Amino acid sequence: MDIINIKDTSNKLYYIGGIVRDFLLHRPSIDVDITCEGNAIEYCAQFGDVLQINPDFGTIKVLVDGREVDFASTRTERYDKKGHLPQVDKIGVTLKEDVLRRDFTINALAMSVSTGEIVDYTGGQQDLKNGVLRVLHDNSFIDDPTRIIRGLKFAMRFGFELDEHTKNLQDKYLENINYDMSYARVKKELIETFGCSKEMTRGLQWAYEYFINEKIYKLVTPDDVTMPSCNIEKLIHDYPVENQWLVFVGTLKDLSRIPLTKHEQKILDDVPTAALSSDFEIYKAFENINTESILLYGILQNEKIARRYLDVLKHIKIKINGKDLKHIGVPPSPEYSECFDFVLAEKLKNPALSYEDEIALAKQFFKI
Ligand code: ATP
């Protein structure tokens, strides 16, 4: 565990959440979250240079031993608007009250910074041992449906299962979704689930099938989805892309609820809808679009065609350019691009064509 060198004997400070869970699972953890039972802003400024204070959340960022550490005051939260970011209710509550606002028992463990003692108010240690994901109360998914996707993420990462009651609560929620929720938060969890390259116990294909079969996709779209026959994980493995999550989630018909960047929207808009048959058609449809769009075509329409482009056609390029056409006496005109397409069509049939062959084809095109 990434221990921060804080000399504190008060027993007010606790590592909390993911870091404790990962420590007990012997897995590395990226974030170090420390909670202060009481008021972190008043108490934690003593540990180093104060970098930032957020009084509304009771948090303070301090430079401890050259490292930025976030200290949070223990707090309770209210979901005045279900599905949206919670409001801070009270700051400076007991550790137990703080822990009870969390998502799963395995994320509700605390560990004293002073003594290393594990504080477990919800049975998280037992659930960690049994590989169980259990919510802390029956309204958990109603308050915050993004927890359903978080559950999928942890199931995938640790190979855990939802406990039966939690699964029933999830199914019940998914039958009656309140679509007025924060889709920015949903997107964040989808990216962490399907865009993640961290070590996983279960593969992305497993997560995708679970996402579809358990109807978790309904959080994003009310449309029905048919499971594509293609193995998306294998496709991603063969052709790695930056926006991996979008290749999975982009299989849904309607993503309009998710706030997409212009680039992400373009990836979806560019997926060809027409059936492509000749190599020339395939080449022209794919040459100027992102690999993500090609993979989505492969998943939704024809995997063989997507692979043919990415494995073979993509690497075929004509050698002649505008200068060459000028050189053979053709003044610049829109016919240039028609000529390049003519040469390309021949080159796709016979990739061994040389530069001289291409010049001959260009002359043939212009009847020179
Ligand atoms: P990861 O390893 O993916 O970062 P994490 O559990 O550390 O997982 P964070 O998103 O960093 O996840 O959240 C830190 C802690 O905050 C969690 O362990 C959990 O206790 C709490 N938490 C995060 N998201 C929620 C949520 N939607 N509802 C309730 N508690 C949450």
Side-chain angles (χ1 to χ4, degrees), residues 232-298:
I232 306 180
E233 182 167 12
K234 172 105 181 44
L235 208 57
I236 293 272
H237 173 269
D238 294 345
Y239 312 101
V241 286
E242 197 183 321
N243 293 282
Q244 179 179 296
W245 76 279
L246 203 52
V247 178
F248 286 91
V249 179
T251 55
L252 306 182
K253 264 183 246 147
D254 179 3
L255 277 195
S256 55
R257 289 190 160 96
I258 304 281
L260 296 175
T261 63
K262 273 197 184 137
H263 180 63
E264 290 163 342
Q265 188 59 54
K266 184 165 172 9
I267 286 174
L268 297 182
D269 293 345
D270 280 350
V271 181
T273 47
L276 305 169
S277 49
S278 73
D279 280 350
F280 182 74
E281 265 175 10
I282 299 169
Y283 196 100
K284 294 307 280 181
F286 290 161
E287 70 177 332
N288 292 320
I289 65 178
N290 290 284
T291 307
E292 286 91 334
S293 306
I294 300 171
L295 296 183
L296 276 165
Y297 179 89

Side-chain angles (χ1 to χ4, degrees), residues 16-19 21-22 29 31 33 79 101-103 107-108 144 146-147 150 153-154 157 185 188-189 192 198:
I16 192 103
I19 184 166
R21 173 201 69 212
D22 292 340
S29 201
D31 302 327
D33 291 321
Y79 286 84
R101 72 179 164 84
R102 292 169 188 271
D103 51 358
N107 288 339
D144 182 358
T146 64
R147 290 172 183 162
R150 286 177 62 80
K153 176 177 80 176
F154 295 123
R157 196 186 293 170
R185 299 179 74 215
K188 176 179 169 282
E189 294 301 340
E192 285 184 17
K198 278 191 230 156

